[in-house]
Amino acid sequence: MSSSASILLQDRPAPGVTRLRLNRPEARNALNTPLRQALAAAFDALDIDDDTRCILLCGEGPCFAAGADIKEMAPLGPAEVNQIGVPRYWRSIAQCSRPVIAAVHGVALGGGCELALHADIILAEANARFGQPEVTVGIMPGGGATQRLMRAMGKYQAMGMLLTGEPLSAQRAYQAGLVTEVVEEGALMERALAMAATIASRPPQAIRFIKEVALAGADASLEAGLMLERRAFEMLFDTADQKEGMQAFMERRTPTFTGA
């Protein structure tokens, strides 16, 4: 069995940017329990790492992630599936306060698509495909797709994916609202690193509040969401980065944000 250190690679390709690379290319980066555990541990650690301002998530080899590891799951019964505790691994990613960019090439299917859905931004290489094929093997999504796809794409697009199990091309996923941007083949990592570096250069507290309020407000009433936004907006006027940003604007220079 691969060690967690080898199945999930981590590096710092740019200031403030931590890149996580799924590294089971021989299994098309299928999500088995060790890889899920490694991802959860990495996100938990990065969430309290002051040097990480943006997380870039990608896959080594021919694809992003082909789904859950069917060989691991096939013989299990309901109690055994429950004991694996997959929801707690997803929770570490979902609750991470750092902005997350998923850079998808090849396929993002099943659990791989659900992993991408946990990101705040999805960049897709032109050859990418997204799908939830669980129904084709007798089950259904269990990592959030029935809920996150509905919120991202709307009922009719999401149900088409969920009920047929058929994948969408990168362009169709973009048109449906699932993808932020489609990038030409060969340019995905360059574009993803550039976007991650831009986000990492922004004031950390403002970035954290934007993500927190946007996600919390999505399931609240408009009035409640607007109240959350206004309170967070006001609180940022007590930060050094707000003073620096506005002073730099008036002085026509590039601001230096410290997170204070």
Side-chain angles (χ1 to χ4, degrees):
M1 180 181 295
S2 301
S3 69
S4 61
S6 64
I7 60 178
L8 184 66
L9 306 177
Q10 180 172 322
D11 67 347
R12 288 274 172 86
V17 177
T18 297
R19 177 168 55 186
L20 298 176
R21 292 176 287 165
L22 311 182
N23 190 37
R24 297 188 70 214
E26 75 288 350
R28 303 175 76 204
N29 295 327
L31 301 174
N32 62 1
T33 298
L35 182 51
R36 292 180 189 277
Q37 292 171 337
L39 278 166
F43 272 90
D44 286 341
L46 294 175
D47 195 33
I48 56 174
D49 177 20
D50 290 339
D51 292 328
T52 295
R53 296 189 179 186
C54 185
I55 299 170
L56 177 56
L57 185 61
C58 55
E60 289 288 288
C63 67
F64 180 75
D69 194 322
I70 297 297
K71 292 181 180 178
E72 181 183 70
M73 296 177 61
L76 302 181
E80 293 167 310
V81 172
N82 177 266
Q83 288 171 2
I84 293 174
V86 169
R88 72 174 177 269
Y89 304 138
W90 285 123
R91 196 174 302 120
S92 294
I93 305 172
Q95 294 180 351
C96 183
S97 64
R98 304 302 191 239
V100 180
I101 299 174
V104 177
H105 74 289
V107 298
L109 302 177
C113 186
E114 289 171 318
L115 179 58
L117 285 169
H118 279 70
D120 303 297
I121 293 170
I122 301 178
L123 301 180
E125 200 165 60
N127 67 3
R129 289 184 298 141
F130 298 81
Q132 298 293 155
E134 289 88 346
V135 71
T136 67
V137 294
I139 58 171
M140 63 177 284
T146 61
Q147 305 306 305
R148 287 190 167 86
L149 277 180
M150 293 282 277
R151 287 162 170 75
M153 304 166 66
K155 173 183 175 180
Y156 300 106
Q157 296 283 354
M159 291 297 272
M161 284 184 68
L162 294 167
L163 296 177
T164 67
E166 295 176 354
L168 296 183
S169 68
Q171 191 59 40
R172 280 283 296 112
Y174 172 74
Q175 292 168 347
L178 178 59
V179 166
T180 306
E181 185 178 321
V182 178
V183 182
E184 65 181 31
E185 291 187 36
L188 177 64
M189 192 50 57
E190 179 183 0
R191 174 60 180 140
L193 284 173
M195 182 176 285
T198 295
I199 292 172
S201 73
R202 304 305 190 206
Q205 291 191 67
I207 290 290
R208 184 168 62 252
F209 279 179
I210 288 170
K211 177 169 180 174
E212 182 179 298
V213 170
L215 294 181
D219 292 323
S221 67
L222 176 59
E223 183 177 359
L226 291 172
M227 183 181 297
L228 289 171
E229 178 188 88
R230 188 65 192 182
R231 293 296 173 263
F233 170 80
E234 292 165 353
M235 288 176 65
L236 288 171
F237 280 78
D238 195 34
T239 65
D241 279 348
Q242 174 265 325
K243 308 306 179 192
E244 163 66 9
M246 292 191 173
Q247 189 65 34
F249 177 84
M250 291 186 291
E251 295 174 0
R252 299 185 178 180
R253 60 176 174 83
T254 301
T256 299
F257 295 119
T258 63

